[in-house]
């Protein structure tokens, strides 16, 4: 089924690290929140990483000089399965790059990383850092393992 990305990018001129996923899940699109499925560990990771509760997720992203979006603007996908993604139309991340102080680009999961390299790298000429997917389907990593891996987001942002 053809799916359109329905969530707006979250960034401001102070954003220094752009975090990109592949495409919002069915649940994320329904609730209007990135990583909105209750089993996705992204917000737990970020809460532990920054040692704070996250009540307003958009304010949290901006307060920590982050930006949040996805590689894909539209695609064919079955449910929320990254492995079923076909016929990709990428987002124009230059929208963020041109209006924010982006120093780092982080891709959440191998699919996002591969799609970024295929569709967006040539346009923005910036290497991306791949991190493990926060999806509960990625059972290889415990929450603590993910927090350790995601530490690079905090370190790179604070030092750029």
């Amino acid at each position: 089924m053809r799916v359109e990305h329905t969530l707006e990018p979250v960034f401001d001129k102070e954003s220094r690290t752009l975090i990109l996923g592949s495409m919002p899940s069915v649940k994320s699109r329904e609730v209007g929140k990135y990583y909105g499925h209750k089993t996705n560990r992204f917000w737990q990771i970020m809460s532990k990483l920054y040692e704070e509760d996250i009540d307003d997720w958009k304010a949290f992203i901006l307060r920590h000089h982050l930006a949040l979006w996805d590689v894909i603007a539209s695609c064919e996908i079955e449910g929320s399965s990254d492995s079923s993604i076909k016929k990709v139309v990428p987002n124009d991340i230059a929208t963020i790059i041109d209006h924010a102080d982006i120093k780092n680009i982080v891709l959440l999961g191998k699919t996002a990383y591969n799609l970024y390299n295929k569709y967006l790298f040539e346009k923005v000429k910036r290497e991306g850092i791949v991190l493990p997917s926060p999806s509960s389907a990625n059972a290889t990593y415990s929450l603590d393992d993910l927090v350790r891996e995601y530490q690079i987001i905090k370190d790179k942002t604070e030092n750029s």
Side-chain angles (χ1 to χ4, degrees):
M1 162 170 42
R2 186 109 198 129
V3 175
E4 299 290 325
H5 194 296
T6 55
L7 302 175
E8 292 294 319
V10 178
F11 72 99
D12 65 16
K13 63 184 174 75
E14 303 296 322
S15 297
R16 292 193 298 269
T17 298
L18 172 57
I19 301 169
L20 296 169
S22 54
M23 180 75 172
S25 68
V26 172
K27 190 64 172 176
S28 292
R29 293 189 310 269
E30 282 176 9
V31 300
K33 177 182 180 183
Y34 288 94
Y35 308 101
H37 195 286
K38 64 183 177 185
T39 63
N40 190 294
R41 299 175 289 178
F42 179 78
W43 296 111
Q44 287 177 284
I45 295 163
M46 299 307 278
S47 178
K48 283 185 147 230
L49 186 62
Y50 286 91
E51 300 176 346
E52 66 179 88
D53 292 333
I54 302 172
D55 296 322
D56 181 337
W57 63 274
K58 289 180 184 177
F60 172 88
I61 291 297
L62 299 177
R63 182 170 55 255
H64 293 288
H65 308 291
L66 304 172
L68 194 56
W69 209 14
D70 288 299
V71 173
I72 301 172
S74 67
C75 65
E76 288 184 6
I77 187 170
E78 298 304 319
S80 299
S81 172
D82 276 3
S83 63
S84 72
I85 292 172
K86 294 184 271 194
K87 299 183 180 175
V88 169
V89 174
N91 272 317
D92 180 9
I93 65 168
T95 301
I96 296 175
I97 303 289
D98 293 346
H99 295 95
D101 190 24
I102 300 298
K103 305 290 187 203
N104 317 287
I105 297 177
V106 175
L107 292 305
L108 301 187
K110 290 177 187 170
T111 300
Y113 180 74
N114 292 337
L115 292 169
Y116 171 81
N117 285 327
K118 182 175 183 177
Y119 295 104
L120 298 173
F121 177 77
E122 281 303 314
K123 293 178 184 174
V124 297
K125 303 277 196 248
R126 296 187 189 207
E127 292 292 332
I129 300 165
V130 65
L131 293 178
S133 169
S135 169
S136 59
N138 183 12
T140 307
Y141 290 85
S142 71
L143 180 59
D144 287 338
D145 291 338
L146 289 169
V147 171
R148 277 190 292 279
E149 293 283 334
Y150 280 52
Q151 181 68 43
I152 195 167
I153 294 172
K154 187 175 180 184
D155 293 346
K156 290 261 186 200
T157 305
E158 291 176 355
N159 295 315
S160 60

